[in-house]
């Protein structure tokens, strides 16, 4: 019988809510809906269990994880399944490097540490990576902060025989994936792109934060569009609280075909952003666990299609 | 210097209008906009010349091809280029097999016969194929009527060292191409399709004819959607004269991702149907010419991606 | 205290499902969501009670109304409210005029007879109107079959002091309402309409029936678009079972403003057709009851905005 | 015969380009396309002539108005009409109040001064109003800067018998007009609004400026949506240079109907912003001229529907 993959998560936001609830839904119903890889190296979705969680919000600390995931500003919906308490109280997360030993001790039971906090705090990300090294667990960085891209840190994980996956998770189905697929399709069919835009609207705390710092995100969005990017424009993100955890994207592509006649595509995409993250995290966790169990430390190229900035890309 | 590819066309409808005007535009401006394959086996777009044309409408017969393409019910727009008379008067097309010798004689100058009449007259299509055999020219069938799929006929072209390409042209960029690409993308990303529909609206004579016989076209559309087709619905075609040669398609895809949360895609596509045909015909003509010049009779697999029903598919 | 408005309904389809469930929802929650007129002549929504129901399907006859409304082909969703049995078994409806006395007897308790069967059976509609006259109850015809437009029949209701409202219910919010509002807005702002279309897709039994007889419905749709109708095109209805009781409409309006520059509007509307009917029926029922209680027989002009073909319009 | 309405314009941007070109188009073709009011108090569109123009850009000053309107950053398209030079060289505009006499002198021939510069320079707007008072011409303020809303200034125009129209032009057909019409329609039909958003994208210099100062514009947009505004969200403006003078708006309205079932509306609007301005300016100019010729100084209520902030609204 397969031993459970024991995961500790940093961050008790919407993405963790989607992960925890989706796992409960899968266990109860056996549903394979929306699951990209039923089995990764022998590990099923139901083999993953969250055994520890770290957060910094005073309201969340001490609460059972199954309660904490519904506290504001979280706004991912309550899925249609029972969610019995898992007996995992949320632990106080670390604020600076002096707390690494405490966090490492709290990882005693875990096999993988999934770093799923907001982007923009590289020192914190690296401190958790240190805790993983100390505790001897695999580390996954889903934020844009450079961790796996740091060659020195990666070498230390390799030497310790511990997997290190990252950086910056690529959503299971988001605007970049869709926009790129459409740009590629036009090119394959021989159409000439004239112009294109995307507008992204969302209602999560993440969106609110990104709106404060739009240039970074827009550049990241443009970086994610390698093909014909000179004709592609990304409008500022819009924070619309009514959308809650949904993201809405409007895309337009204007092209020309034979005889220079026009071809127009208008697309509206609606997704739940946290589901897009959890649907990828469930694969990263199993890749990390499998690597650990097989003694493969460092980065696994199997993770590359799930990441925006794997090792070797620019910091 | 490359010798011109001399093409005779059957049918002086919108698709021929798009082909003739697009060739003129390319020659004048050198523009490569919307051209899928600049060069096919050494043959450029500008190497193709239309040297004969057959039609059955009394208004078109005898007129210079560059005038005839603008007569009703044709409604493909006048492109923004000069269109000097080419000295190719439209010839009376054949009505039955007794006229094969007359048509064959009229093909004296041609190298390729492009059959671009409306679908639904298989006897006529085959009579023109006979004329091609008699005259010793390659034959391309862009209609859904079975010609290249007839093994006996194909064997005769092979024996004669004459190329035979068909059947049923796949548009350079149409609803099926787009719908399939989106269905494939959802599947690749691990989403579960719940339902999907497409509605096609157009204003050409072709559309008017298809609306009379909607079942055939809807079945053909569904056949063109192999993936997840049980969840995909195709609404009846709508003939909307105001659209003229434009086609508008509305697509919807409803899926579920991680946690069974919903993912929605709504798409509006606007294209000029005749451009989609001409953009593929320009490639088929060059593939046929190249095969002829290199002594390869029969079918060329290079054409397969440009056809909906190549040899071997069901009649 | 206001006496309840006792309604008998003919037809136990989606529209009756929406009416019955919406009434239960309102009573339980007191919710005023989506209710156009909270009070009509002193009568609240909660004052309406369904006391009898007629149907012809063997599966429905004899069942409690609260069960029968969920039997196929009905596909209006189960609303989020309790629905206790109302003790109203579905009665066998009439097939021909000989059964008028039986139906009239079954109306003993009722005050209003709401005829909510499918359109297209004028003889049946008139037989129920006869039953209403016999039983001394008000009659509402929501179908396109001419009843209130029959001057002779209307005169008999007037003479009997019984209200007669009809014909052909205008949905609370449907494609015609929206399309007309947009055409009117363009005109008010001085834009010149170039072209416009609407496509209607739905998944109810009604839609399936209408698809069989598209000309009638398209003409009716065009009749409902008096403004600039020469530029407006209505595509064939599409029956898409996946949509169930939802209707999806795609509208496009192309216009020109100052300097003849283009103005484009693309709209997607999604509604539940049966809710659109029930939201109007609840008003018609109260108008009829109020008229009856106040001794006003015949037609009430208060109903005119709720009907597509009130008395005086062409049959 | 009607005497021409002689107009001087301040600002040689896109709006002036649309006005000047649209007038030329109308004169040549007699076309009434997109013209809201063919005649205002006896004055036709063709009765309006631009006789002076003021600008601050060195490139524009001294050029004939018909050339200057095509200089960057202007990007309104060249309409399909001849545009002979009008013999109106662009005059250097004023920078401060000391130049009022010079500008007043340059208004000798004019009857109406149309202030069509970018919003945000209230001192400049008032200086031009002073010049109009000095020269004895009517004044129209199309910007959001308070001029007609200044009671003292309005009183001086009244006393002088000079018309003063403003402030802040309402586009002939823009996002606010459309969004309000849809919100009103939902309300009239008794639907309950749940949420709504609008996103505005554009490529003009105006858009670029507004993006720098998004709060002001978003507040103005929300002010323009009196109905159900608490449920309506306005996303940040997006400056997308490819759009040039087109504006694209995406609107969404989510509501509930009978039984609390959902009603969704998704709208894409594409317009040329400068045409929307010019189509209203042509009416304001004729209202002002008519008032002047009839000795009615001060504000004309006939202009109210063409303005966002007429006298009496908050500054």
């Amino acid at each position: 019988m397969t031993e459970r993959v024991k995961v500790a998560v940093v961050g008790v936001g919407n993405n963790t809510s989607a992960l925890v609830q989706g796992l409960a839904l899968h266990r109860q119903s056996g549903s394979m809906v929306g699951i990209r890889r039923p089995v990764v190296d022998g590990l099923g979705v139901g083999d993953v269990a969250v055994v520890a969680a770290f957060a910094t919000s005073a309201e969340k600390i001490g609460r059972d994880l199954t309660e904490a995931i519904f506290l504001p500003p979280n706004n991912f919906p309550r899925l249609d399944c029972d969610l019995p308490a898992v007996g995992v109280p949320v632990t106080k997360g670390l604020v600076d490097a002096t707390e690494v030993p405490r966090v490492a001790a709290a990882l005693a039971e875990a096999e993988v540490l999934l770093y799923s906090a907001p982007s923009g705090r590289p020192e914190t990300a690296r401190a958790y990576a240190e805790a993983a090294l100390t505790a001897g667990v695999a580390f996954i960085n889903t934020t844009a902060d450079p961790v796996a891209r740091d060659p020195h840190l990666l070498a230390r994980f390799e030497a310790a025989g511990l997997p290190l996956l990252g950086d910056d998770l690529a959503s299971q189905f988001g605007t970049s994936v869709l926009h790129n697929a459409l740009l590629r399709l036009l090119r394959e069919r021989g159409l000439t792109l004239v112009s294109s835009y995307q507008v992204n609207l969302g209602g999560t705390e993440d969106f609110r934060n990104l709106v404060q710092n739009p240039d970074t995100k827009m550049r990241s969005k443009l970086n994610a569009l390698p093909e014909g990017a000179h004709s592609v424009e990304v409008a500022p993100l819009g924070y619309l609280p009514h959308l809650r955890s949904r993201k809405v994207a409007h895309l337009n592509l204007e092209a020309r075909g034979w005889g220079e006649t026009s071809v127009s595509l208008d697309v509206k995409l609606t997704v739940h952003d946290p589901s897009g993250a959890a649907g990828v995290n469930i694969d990263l966790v199993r890749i990390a666990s499998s690597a650990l169990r097989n003694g493969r430390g460092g980065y696994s190229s199997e993770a590359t299609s799930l990441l925006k900035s794997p090792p070797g890309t620019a910091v």
Side-chain angles (χ1 to χ4, degrees), chain A:
Chain A
M1 191 196 138
T2 311
E3 203 190 338
R4 285 233 163 156
V5 180
K6 291 173 185 153
V7 184
V9 294
V10 178
V12 181
N14 278 325
N15 292 2
T16 296
S17 178
L19 182 66
V20 168
Q21 291 194 71
L23 282 171
L25 179 71
H26 171 77
R27 276 200 205 100
Q28 276 167 43
S29 67
S31 159
M32 298 308 290
V33 166
I35 290 176
R36 196 175 182 183
R37 299 184 61 186
V39 179
V40 174
D41 293 331
L43 300 168
V45 167
D47 292 326
V48 176
V50 178
V51 299
F54 300 89
T56 50
S57 143
E59 289 76 28
K60 288 175 182 164
I61 295 167
R63 297 272 200 122
D64 191 85
L65 179 57
T66 53
E67 285 174 37
I69 56 178
F70 296 111
L71 296 176
N74 287 13
N75 54 11
F76 184 75
R78 194 176 280 272
L79 299 184
D80 189 18
C81 66
D82 293 331
L83 194 64
V86 286
V88 176
V90 174
T91 305
K92 187 170 186 304
L94 59 71
V95 176
D96 59 49
T98 63
E99 299 175 275
V100 167
R102 176 177 63 79
V103 166
L107 293 174
E109 255 194 277
E111 187 176 341
V112 176
L113 179 56
L114 174 67
Y115 184 72
S116 184
S119 289
R121 280 174 266 164
E123 291 314 308
T124 306
R126 298 169 65 90
Y128 276 106
E130 291 294 336
L133 276 169
T134 304
V137 309
F139 190 75
I140 300 169
N141 173 34
T142 69
T143 72
D145 300 321
V147 176
R149 276 171 298 168
D150 176 337
H152 182 62
L153 202 48
L154 183 57
R156 288 173 61 207
F157 272 86
E158 270 165 12
L162 296 174
L164 171 60
L165 306 182
D167 301 327
D168 208 0
L169 168 146
S171 176
Q172 189 179 359
F173 201 85
T175 315
S176 299
V177 162
L178 177 61
H179 208 158
N180 264 322
L182 293 172
L183 290 168
R184 201 182 315 121
L185 183 66
L186 290 184
R187 207 181 46 186
E188 278 172 15
R189 306 300 294 188
L191 303 189
T192 302
L193 187 68
V194 174
S195 69
S196 185
Y197 68 71
Q198 62 169 253
V199 191
N200 292 280
L201 310 170
T204 63
E205 198 62 12
D206 267 11
F207 249 82
R208 189 209 290 266
N209 293 331
L210 289 166
V211 166
Q212 317 292 352
N213 190 9
D215 287 351
T216 315
K217 185 65 181 180
M218 281 171 68
R219 193 161 321 111
S220 147
K221 283 282 182 189
L222 282 171
N223 284 348
L225 293 167
E227 338 207 15
H230 59 289
S231 307
V232 178
E233 296 176 329
V234 178
L237 293 173
Y239 170 62
L240 304 184
H242 287 133
L243 291 177
R244 303 181 60 82
S245 76
R246 274 173 296 143
K247 182 165 77 176
V248 172
H250 294 282
L251 281 70
N252 169 262
L253 297 93
E254 300 291 333
R256 300 223 175 261
W258 175 260
E260 304 201 354
T261 56
S262 61
V263 174
S264 294
L265 266 177
D266 280 292
V267 184
K268 182 185 185 189
L269 167 68
T270 310
V271 293
H272 279 274
D273 242 9
S275 297
V280 170
N281 281 337
I282 192 68
D283 292 355
L284 289 172
V285 160
R286 291 180 290 166
I287 292 169
S289 165
S290 170
L292 183 71
R293 293 176 183 192
N294 290 287
R296 285 182 272 110
Y299 183 72
S300 289
S301 60
E302 197 180 352
T304 299
S305 68
L306 310 176
L307 298 165
K308 285 188 194 145
S309 309
T313 53
V315 173

